[in-house]
Amino acid sequence: MSDTSLYRLNGRSIVAGKTAISGGAAFHGYQPADGSTLDPEYLSATTEDVESAVAEAVKAASALAQSSGKQRAAFLRSIADGIDAASAQLVERAHRETALPVPRLTGEVARTSNQMRLFASVLEEGSWVMARIDTADPARTPPKPDIRSMLRPLGPVVVFGASNFPLAFSVAGGDTASALAAGNPVIVKAHPAHPGTSELAGQVIVDAVRKSGFPGGTFSLLFDAGHEVGAALVKHPHVCAVGFTGSFRGGRALMDLAASRPTPIPVYAEMGSTNPVFVLPNALRERSDALAAGLHGSFTLGGGQFCTKPGLVFAPRSESTGFMERMRSLTGETPAFSLLTSGIAGAYQHEVNQRKKHLIASGKANSTGYSAQVTLYEVSGDQFLSEQELSDEVFGPTTLVVQCTNTAQMLEAARSLEGHLTATILGTEEDLQQNVELLRVLETKAGRLIFNGFPTGVEVCHAQVHGGPYPATSDGRSTSVGSQAIFRFTRPVAYQGLPESALLPELQSSNPEGILRMWNGAWTRTAAEKP
Amino acid sequence: MSDTSLYRLNGRSIVAGKTAISGGAAFHGYQPADGSTLDPEYLSATTEDVESAVAEAVKAASALAQSSGKQRAAFLRSIADGIDAASAQLVERAHRETALPVPRLTGEVARTSNQMRLFASVLEEGSWVMARIDTADPARTPPKPDIRSMLRPLGPVVVFGASNFPLAFSVAGGDTASALAAGNPVIVKAHPAHPGTSELAGQVIVDAVRKSGFPGGTFSLLFDAGHEVGAALVKHPHVCAVGFTGSFRGGRALMDLAASRPTPIPVYAEMGSTNPVFVLPNALRERSDALAAGLHGSFTLGGGQFCTKPGLVFAPRSESTGFMERMRSLTGETPAFSLLTSGIAGAYQHEVNQRKKHLIASGKANSTGYSAQVTLYEVSGDQFLSEQELSDEVFGPTTLVVQCTNTAQMLEAARSLEGHLTATILGTEEDLQQNVELLRVLETKAGRLIFNGFPTGVEVCHAQVHGGPYPATSDGRSTSVGSQAIFRFTRPVAYQGLPESALLPELQSSNPEGILRMWNGAWTRTAAEKP
């Protein structure tokens, strides 16, 4: 186990590698388990901090854009090693700031460093730049020019830390990893619910920036008790893109801010999803207890504070008696959870009260800290189809079962859905064959379709898509998890007629990196003589 | 030469394959050469036409999403053959509606059908879907699921025809080709400046839809004398994306409309660009006449009505005397052009008057139709850096030479630029080595960097990037020309744990299409046994 006091917390923003001396409005971290405050006091970043973080990021952007993939890979590996070395301190502080269990946080630290290493391996392999080369044909009429293109970085990226993943979707999380990997400087606006964890991760990155010889402006970490710093960053003319994970309201506000700029910029906001699950008849007949146990485990995991929590379950009423009995009894046995913040706990309580008339089971109570009882609701398919608000996400350990008259009504319900991160079908292969249209409809509603699995637990891999149509995200053309996330902070640039010496190695005819490229329309790793 | 009366013009919108019977406000095409009107009269689409085109597109979307790439390739080839067969009629009508020369329009017809065939070949090859497969590992803790992802269509796409490319960026143009290729239904809002050409191309596509057995809703063509139909389409809740080529004002209005929807959607708007050219000292010493001739040809090509027209030329004053002499004399000899519309001719006249004090040469005059004299302007580097409006695009046969004190001032000017479609350096290799920073700055300002070429003439190929940072386009992460344009109307979707029989062929382990896929992180065309 690593030392639990590797880093000292200063309670200040880090601007281009330097700890801010002063600051604005003060705030503290809180312990959700008992509501007590945590030291040190944190000071909000000032207008000058914002200006200086962006100005230094602009300077760093040019150096990063000229760095090689291998240099950036070494930098990401240095961050990963730093996170692992600080693991004990990160877990201890994150546990106090979030009340998430230590094993979950230990896993999240490993996920965070492994994400960095995944992007490092993508950079080392090098083909991700999608190099395309069309060679010249001077004999053609008109002469055909030599054109080569590859993906290039966008420039300074602002990342908002998420409350529910204090590590893997926060300061050193997926958006930071993918933005740095693609060669963009990053300015993180820390989530105020876990400032200490944020500062620790920030110090790890600052150390790695120094060791790797990148400019200080490669990374900044700004604190804020309110929303001013985030808004100022998103409106700043030199900021080029935004990554955000949080509430629908927060995400939409950033989207609107970015779209109304004189120069609009892309916002990748992961906002909210109820992750509908469709349980089909044959599966219910064969294994209703196992399905109920799986779903219960999934909707209560981490106190139901996952963006992929299954918050809507559609089942055919005639086959679901045993399934519902088991769901009720599992819910009744479940202990209460400490939620992440008093705000989340309060919103949960409010929404639970709104749905009171549909309550069919609740878990054990606990009155300390930001506590929440597990709740299970049930409505009919007709009710669901007529009451829009039943589709809304309720963040926390709760789910709503929709008892449908038959699979035709389940299909109707599927058609009525908005965009989600995931959609799940639990069924036999026969069920699937009998409900092909359901699969096709769900494909248009989600970023990831799951068959006989549960949506929580998002594998970090090459094929992963953690995204989905609005309002699940601001931009369903992208993923925030997995190696494809590197594409979000890039744009293609073409080079026409440039001499070999002025081209980046990825586009030189001799293919010094040995990467996969499209050469006159065919994918190949071949090194070519001068074309 | 094909028959010039293959199709009969009806003057009505085509809604999901059916010619509309009635319509709203009437309008005509005009002949820019003499300002006379052209038959038939066109009627604007009605609210019902919009509703019905979108409703049929939604129905078609599902069939298109399930069609194979090879089926869509055959469909695109059928459109291409239809365009070639109607070539004579298309050229004749387009010549009357635009006054663009017959050879240019004949070339544009070929480009339009070749674009369709390029996308057909991309579909036939199949690897464009970026299939990624990560196989399961049930022995891992926790068990690793099987996840597979590929690019899927977005749904109904609205395309706005451009005035300056009545064929290649219009009804059957690049956006329509890439959207259909990716499996999206398309609704085109025809540009009112060439309604007859639009209707002809629309009838070609309708024929191909029928022959290919795709649903009628795969394609609709709507006319409008004003902006209501376009706005209604962009605001329609079932429209999923927009492609546009036109003015900055029009593009930004669509961006704002799309961003303010309850469900925002992507807008790919190509809006405006002055395509800066930097002429370096050694090149001026070696070949100033050739550079002047090339630039003159490029800025007057098609009456200067190309989005890639070089509208800003930066040169070091000390080396540019001969170059400027040649530019002036070439300009003086150039005949007048007929511009595309009375609006464009009027705007050109207005902007030319605004710049009057900087005029150093003008071409021959002509008073018939929407005529425009070629104009050449000159300012100092200091003037350019202090007068923002000198960077503005002036659509038509004009360019502005900025006489800089030295290459350092040229670099300063480069840094001051906004986003452009292209940026060009004319120089020797020595010039380039001495101005590496200029190249790096320009890379951040443009979608395509050109060395010793001219920006007009956009090669349709795999490596092409016809895009660039705002305000050149709404979204610099994309190209509207070349095979990479297929990505703009797609999103990745992941499938977790699906049985092979429920997967599209591109994701089946046996790789029946033999496409290039990322299999557990490595690109391969190998067919795998069941994983």
Side-chain angles (χ1 to χ4, degrees):
Chain A
M1 208 57 177
S2 62
D3 186 358
T4 58
S5 57
L6 199 56
Y7 291 100
R8 185 176 157 269
L9 295 181
N10 298 306
R12 298 292 182 276
S13 295
I14 309 177
V15 179
K18 297 195 183 100
T19 304
I21 297 162
S22 61
F27 67 104
H28 278 265
Y30 289 88
Q31 301 208 73
D34 61 10
S36 64
T37 61
L38 281 164
D39 281 332
E41 179 184 74
Y42 277 82
L43 296 188
S44 302
T46 62
T47 308
E48 292 71 35
D49 293 335
V50 169
E51 283 304 322
S52 143
V54 176
E56 294 297 321
V58 168
K59 283 190 222 162
S62 178
L64 279 165
Q66 297 307 317
S67 67
S68 72
K70 289 193 173 59
Q71 287 170 319
R72 294 197 303 283
F75 170 43
L76 297 187
R77 289 194 186 281
S78 173
I79 298 175
D81 294 345
I83 288 166
D84 287 346
S87 174
Q89 194 176 0
L90 283 165
V91 168
E92 194 221 10
R93 179 77 192 190
H95 176 61
R96 289 205 276 161
E97 288 183 332
T98 65
L100 292 170
V102 167
R104 140 81 197 265
L105 290 167
T106 307
E108 198 181 322
V109 168
R111 175 177 166 170
T112 306
S113 55
N114 284 337
Q115 280 179 170
M116 288 286 171
R117 293 191 183 98
L118 175 69
F119 285 107
S121 71
V122 167
L123 296 179
E124 284 153 356
E125 198 280 328
S127 305
W128 73 274
V129 298
M130 297 286 159
R132 289 167 171 237
I133 296 170
D134 290 310
T135 56
D137 180 1
R140 199 194 64 175
T141 314
K144 184 169 179 278
D146 181 292
I147 302 186
R148 299 167 186 232
S149 65
M150 62 182 279
L151 296 177
R152 300 289 287 140
L154 296 180
V157 171
V158 167
V159 173
F160 287 80
S163 66
N164 61 340
F165 274 88
L167 296 149
F169 281 84
S170 196
V171 178
D175 276 336
T176 299
S178 60
L180 291 174
N184 306 281
V186 170
I187 301 169
V188 174
K189 210 292 275 169
H191 197 286
H194 49 77
T197 312
S198 296
E199 192 188 342
L200 290 173
Q203 293 193 27
V204 166
I205 298 178
V206 166
D207 278 358
V209 170
R210 266 193 219 112
K211 279 179 205 157
S212 309
F214 283 106
T218 299
F219 175 79
S220 289
L221 173 65
L222 303 184
F223 291 101
D224 191 14
H227 299 293
E228 291 76 12
V229 169
L233 286 168
V234 172
K235 285 195 285 191
H236 198 291
H238 290 134
V239 165
C240 296
V242 176
F244 169 88
T245 309
S247 69
F248 172 76
R249 212 157 69 174
R252 178 77 200 222
L254 294 183
M255 289 174 70
D256 291 343
L257 213 53
S260 65
R261 286 166 49 117
T263 296
I265 54 173
V267 172
Y268 298 101
E270 189 200 309
M271 300 187 290
S273 175
T274 41
N275 304 294
V277 176
F278 292 78
V279 198
L280 293 175
N282 290 317
L284 280 172
R285 279 191 284 267
E286 281 181 15
R287 51 189 169 100
S288 62
D289 277 13
L291 295 176
L295 266 172
H296 171 265
S298 187
F299 90 79
T300 59
L301 191 71
Q305 298 169 110
F306 283 104
C307 41
T308 52
K309 182 203 75 175
L312 272 175
V313 180
F314 299 89
R317 182 184 295 280
S318 55
E319 314 297 334
S320 65
T321 313
F323 170 77
M324 289 309 296
E325 240 165 61
R326 191 87 190 113
M327 285 288 275
R328 270 195 299 270
S329 78
L330 287 168
T331 300
E333 293 158 15
T334 316
F337 290 92
S338 281
L339 299 190
L340 290 160
T341 69
S342 63
I344 289 172
Y348 180 73
Q349 200 49 57
H350 173 76
E351 283 149 5
V352 154
N353 286 341
Q354 297 273 314
R355 292 193 169 179
K356 206 160 47 187
K357 64 177 170 183
H358 306 305
L359 185 75
I360 58 166
S362 46
K364 297 178 180 164
N366 178 344
S367 59
T368 57
Y370 312 148
S371 176
Q373 248 176 305
V374 179
T375 53
L376 177 67
Y377 300 90
E378 184 185 279
V379 296
S380 70
D382 290 343
Q383 282 175 304
F384 176 80
L385 289 167
S386 61
E387 293 179 37
Q388 177 65 43
E389 63 275 17
L390 292 172
S391 310
D392 291 350
E393 182 184 20
V394 179
F395 200 71
T398 179
T399 199
L400 170 67
V401 179
V402 181
Q403 296 278 12
C404 295
T405 48
N406 49 34
T407 53
Q409 193 178 48
M410 290 170 72
L411 181 61
E412 195 187 345
R415 287 195 209 279
S416 79
L417 296 171
E418 294 191 284
H420 293 276
L421 293 170
T422 71
T424 299
I425 294 177
L426 300 171
T428 63
E429 290 213 19
E430 196 192 339
D431 279 326
L432 199 58
Q433 281 154 18
Q434 288 165 355
N435 293 276
V436 171
E437 191 58 21
L438 178 65
L439 186 70
R440 291 185 180 168
V441 168
L442 291 180
E443 191 196 54
T444 68
K445 306 285 187 178
R448 177 166 53 116
L449 275 182
I450 301 154
F451 184 62
N452 286 338
F454 298 97
T456 45
V458 182
E459 185 72 22
V460 180
C461 58
H462 297 289
Q464 187 58 274
V465 178
H466 190 62
Y470 187 93
T473 76
S474 57
D475 186 343
R477 294 165 296 169
S478 177
T479 174
S480 65
V481 176
S483 61
Q484 297 186 81
I486 199 169
F487 298 128
R488 47 174 47 188
F489 300 116
T490 64
R491 67 182 180 96
V493 177
Y495 306 84
Q496 178 174 326
L498 261 75
E500 294 272 339
S501 60
L503 290 166
L504 288 171
E506 288 90 338
L507 294 180
Q508 291 168 12
S509 298
S510 62
N511 198 7
E513 310 282 333
I515 60 173
L516 189 68
R517 311 190 292 188
M518 188 185 269
W519 182 275
N520 289 325
W523 289 103
T524 173
R525 290 184 186 270
T526 309
E529 296 306 303
K530 284 226 168 224
Chain B
M1 206 60 175
S2 63
D3 186 357
T4 60
S5 58
L6 200 56
Y7 291 100
R8 185 175 156 269
L9 295 180
N10 297 306
R12 299 290 183 277
S13 295
I14 308 177
V15 179
K18 297 194 183 101
T19 304
I21 297 161
S22 60
F27 67 103
H28 279 265
Y30 288 88
Q31 301 208 74
D34 61 10
S36 65
T37 61
L38 281 164
D39 281 333
E41 179 183 74
Y42 276 81
L43 296 189
S44 302
T46 61
T47 309
E48 293 71 36
D49 292 335
V50 169
E51 283 304 323
S52 141
V54 176
E56 294 297 322
V58 168
K59 283 189 221 161
S62 179
L64 279 165
Q66 297 307 317
S67 67
S68 71
K70 290 194 172 57
Q71 288 169 319
R72 294 197 303 283
F75 169 45
L76 297 187
R77 288 194 187 281
S78 173
I79 297 175
D81 294 345
I83 289 167
D84 287 346
S87 175
Q89 194 175 0
L90 283 164
V91 168
E92 194 222 8
R93 179 78 191 188
H95 177 61
R96 289 205 276 159
E97 289 183 331
T98 65
L100 292 170
V102 166
R104 140 82 196 263
L105 290 167
T106 306
E108 198 181 321
V109 168
R111 175 177 167 170
T112 307
S113 55
N114 283 338
Q115 280 180 169
M116 289 284 170
R117 291 191 184 99
L118 175 69
F119 285 107
S121 72
V122 167
L123 296 179
E124 284 153 356
E125 197 279 330
S127 305
W128 73 275
V129 297
M130 297 287 159
R132 288 169 172 236
I133 296 171
D134 290 311
T135 56
D137 179 2
R140 199 195 63 175
T141 313
K144 184 169 178 280
D146 181 290
I147 303 186
R148 300 168 185 230
S149 65
M150 62 183 277
L151 296 177
R152 301 289 289 139
L154 295 180
V157 171
V158 167
V159 173
F160 288 78
S163 66
N164 61 340
F165 274 87
L167 296 150
F169 282 84
S170 194
V171 179
D175 277 336
T176 298
S178 60
L180 291 174
N184 305 281
V186 170
I187 302 169
V188 174
K189 209 293 273 168
H191 197 287
H194 49 77
T197 312
S198 296
E199 191 188 343
L200 291 173
Q203 292 192 29
V204 167
I205 298 179
V206 166
D207 278 358
V209 170
R210 265 193 220 112
K211 279 180 205 155
S212 309
F214 283 107
T218 300
F219 176 78
S220 288
L221 173 65
L222 304 184
F223 291 101
D224 191 13
H227 299 293
E228 292 76 12
V229 168
L233 286 168
V234 172
K235 286 195 285 192
H236 198 291
H238 290 134
V239 165
C240 296
V242 176
F244 169 88
T245 308
S247 69
F248 173 75
R249 213 157 69 173
R252 178 76 199 223
L254 294 183
M255 288 173 71
D256 290 344
L257 212 53
S260 66
R261 288 168 46 120
T263 296
I265 54 173
V267 172
Y268 298 101
E270 190 200 309
M271 300 187 292
S273 176
T274 40
N275 305 293
V277 176
F278 291 78
V279 198
L280 294 175
N282 290 316
L284 280 171
R285 280 190 282 267
E286 282 181 14
R287 50 189 168 98
S288 63
D289 277 12
L291 295 174
L295 266 171
H296 171 264
S298 187
F299 91 79
T300 58
L301 191 70
Q305 299 168 109
F306 283 104
C307 41
T308 53
K309 182 202 76 175
L312 272 176
V313 180
F314 299 89
R317 182 184 296 278
S318 56
E319 313 296 334
S320 65
T321 313
F323 169 77
M324 288 310 296
E325 241 165 62
R326 190 88 191 114
M327 285 287 277
R328 270 195 299 271
S329 78
L330 287 167
T331 299
E333 294 158 14
T334 316
F337 290 92
S338 281
L339 299 190
L340 289 159
T341 68
S342 62
I344 288 172
Y348 179 73
Q349 200 48 57
H350 173 76
E351 284 149 5
V352 154
N353 286 340
Q354 297 274 313
R355 291 193 171 181
K356 206 161 44 184
K357 64 177 170 182
H358 305 305
L359 186 75
I360 57 165
S362 46
K364 297 179 180 165
N366 179 344
S367 60
T368 57
Y370 312 149
S371 176
Q373 248 176 304
V374 178
T375 53
L376 176 67
Y377 299 91
E378 184 186 277
V379 296
S380 71
D382 290 341
Q383 281 175 304
F384 176 79
L385 288 167
S386 62
E387 293 179 37
Q388 178 65 43
E389 62 276 17
L390 292 172
S391 310
D392 292 350
E393 183 185 19
V394 179
F395 200 72
T398 180
T399 199
L400 170 68
V401 179
V402 181
Q403 296 278 12
C404 295
T405 48
N406 49 34
T407 53
Q409 192 177 50
M410 290 170 73
L411 181 60
E412 196 188 344
R415 286 194 210 279
S416 79
L417 294 171
E418 294 193 283
H420 292 277
L421 293 170
T422 70
T424 299
I425 295 177
L426 301 171
T428 63
E429 291 214 19
E430 197 192 337
D431 279 326
L432 199 58
Q433 280 154 18
Q434 289 167 354
N435 292 277
V436 170
E437 191 58 21
L438 178 65
L439 187 70
R440 291 186 180 168
V441 168
L442 292 179
E443 191 196 55
T444 68
K445 307 284 188 181
R448 177 167 52 117
L449 275 183
I450 301 154
F451 183 63
N452 286 340
F454 298 97
T456 43
V458 182
E459 185 71 22
V460 180
C461 59
H462 298 289
Q464 187 58 275
V465 178
H466 189 62
Y470 187 92
T473 76
S474 57
D475 186 343
R477 293 166 296 169
S478 178
T479 175
S480 66
V481 176
S483 62
Q484 297 187 82
I486 198 169
F487 298 129
R488 46 173 48 187
F489 300 116
T490 65
R491 66 182 179 98
V493 177
Y495 306 84
Q496 178 174 327
L498 261 75
E500 295 273 339
S501 60
L503 290 167
L504 289 171
E506 288 90 339
L507 293 180
Q508 291 168 11
S509 298
S510 63
N511 197 7
E513 311 281 334
I515 60 173
L516 189 68
R517 312 189 292 188
M518 187 185 270
W519 183 274
N520 289 325
W523 289 103
T524 174
R525 289 183 187 269
T526 310
E529 296 307 302
K530 284 228 167 223

